[in-house]
Amino acid sequence: MTSSEAPKTWLSQDAYDRLQAELDELIAGRPAIAAEINARREEGDLRENGGYHAAREEQSRQEGRIQYLKEFLRTSEVGEAQTANEVTPGSVVTIYFDDDQSDTETFLLGSREIASTTDLTVYSPESALGTAILGAGEGQTVTYTAPSGADIKVTVVKFGPFEG
């Protein structure tokens, strides 16, 4: 699946701004981590230089995060998700398990990147539950197989756009 075929992730302007600020901070920190690597390199034998290896690992982690955030922000939509007659990525969904209407859970169906912007639990649309409820409407019951191998039946009570 190419990035143009991937489902859009809807972000509020606030969530987008926070992720952009994180990206800007990581990019601004590149010279500091490069200076740290150079300082550690000058300490001597690189095979036994824990500080050097730690700095390189941190640089690698930061570069990975920079690339991820650039792509994530590039492919995200900012604003309010369009209202739909079915569960879509970016929906806040309330479900109940089996036939027990008192056993409910409300969560956001979206990217884990949004988790830092909300107190809601976030499930990926690619998760077993997410895949099962995508396209479901209010009152619709679906069954999915949990990672443990158990079949779980859920009913969509309601859903709406994420306002976070």
Side-chain angles (χ1 to χ4, degrees):
M1 176 182 290
T2 66
S3 61
S4 62
E5 296 169 349
K8 291 286 185 188
T9 299
W10 289 92
L11 295 173
S12 66
Q13 186 63 53
D14 185 48
Y16 180 89
D17 291 344
R18 279 185 276 188
L19 292 172
Q20 184 64 53
E22 179 186 350
L23 175 62
D24 294 344
E25 186 177 312
L26 288 170
I27 290 172
R30 280 175 164 165
I33 195 73
E36 176 73 14
I37 290 170
N38 284 335
R40 298 298 181 178
R41 182 180 293 129
E42 292 174 5
E43 291 176 355
D45 187 4
L46 296 182
R47 289 175 290 161
E48 297 180 13
N49 188 332
Y52 170 79
H53 293 290
R56 290 293 306 235
E57 287 174 16
E58 179 63 16
Q59 179 188 43
S60 177
R61 187 192 65 75
Q62 285 185 359
E63 287 302 316
R65 181 73 175 156
I66 287 169
Q67 295 310 312
Y68 177 82
L69 285 173
K70 281 181 176 179
E71 182 65 13
F72 182 77
L73 293 172
R74 187 185 69 76
T75 60
S76 296
E77 292 287 333
V78 178
E80 294 185 25
Q82 295 117 1
T83 56
N85 296 329
E86 60 187 33
V87 175
T88 60
S91 298
V92 175
V93 184
T94 301
I95 60 171
Y96 65 82
F97 294 90
D98 297 317
D99 294 317
D100 183 359
Q101 293 185 16
S102 66
D103 185 12
T104 64
E105 182 176 3
T106 300
F107 56 89
L108 173 62
L109 186 65
S111 167
R112 300 239 184 246
E113 289 303 315
I114 302 171
S116 65
T117 69
T118 181
D119 291 332
L120 289 170
T121 299
V122 178
Y123 289 107
S124 167
E126 291 82 26
S127 68
L129 173 59
T131 301
I133 65 171
L134 272 177
E138 287 184 11
Q140 187 172 348
T141 300
V142 297
T143 302
Y144 70 96
T145 303
S148 66
D151 285 337
I152 300 174
K153 182 169 74 169
V154 298
T155 301
V156 176
V157 177
K158 64 181 180 175
F159 61 91
F162 176 60
E163 302 293 333

